Amino acid sequence: MTNDFKPAKAGGNQPRLSKEEYAEKKRAEKEKVYQMIDDAAREIVSDPEKFKNFLDTQSRMDRYSAANALLIYSQYPQATQLKDFDDWGKDNA
């Protein structure tokens, strides 16, 4: 995952995927996320300091599952809250 999110423009020039292509794309995305979870879990159990840092992250994100907390930790461990793109935009308006 990256931190350089750019929203897709409506009506863009991207070709429409077939049902099979779309299913494969989503399967690959899901596999990538599961791999990120596995990698983060392996990383934190091998280092007590990283495990403590993960627990700190999870304590701030108490409404999220352990898997989602691992994803948050692996991408931005100092996160204090999560919002969708529109909600962050409302804060800057």
Side-chain angles (χ1 to χ4, degrees):
M1 294 270 170
T2 64
N3 292 331
D4 59 352
F5 174 77
K6 293 179 183 153
K9 294 180 182 176
N13 293 333
Q14 294 182 347
R16 187 170 178 95
L17 299 176
S18 71
K19 188 175 183 179
E20 294 79 17
E21 291 169 326
Y22 181 79
E24 176 57 28
K25 178 182 175 185
K26 290 299 176 183
R27 186 206 58 76
E29 288 173 356
K30 185 186 284 188
E31 183 59 37
K32 185 176 179 180
V33 169
Y34 287 144
Q35 188 62 53
M36 287 176 65
I37 293 167
D38 289 346
D39 292 346
R42 278 190 209 94
E43 180 181 322
I44 66 166
V45 298
S46 66
D47 182 337
E49 187 62 28
K50 288 181 181 179
F51 192 72
K52 179 195 169 298
N53 292 339
F54 165 70
L55 292 176
D56 289 342
T57 299
Q58 191 172 30
S59 72
R60 290 189 307 272
M61 304 292 163
D62 62 337
R63 296 179 183 217
Y64 293 91
S65 68
N68 283 338
L70 283 165
L71 289 170
I72 294 164
Y73 171 78
S74 68
Q75 295 173 76
Y76 196 71
Q78 62 270 34
T80 57
Q81 63 177 314
L82 300 178
K83 297 181 185 181
D84 66 22
F85 186 78
D86 292 334
D87 286 339
W88 283 113
K90 290 175 189 173
D91 286 350
N92 294 327

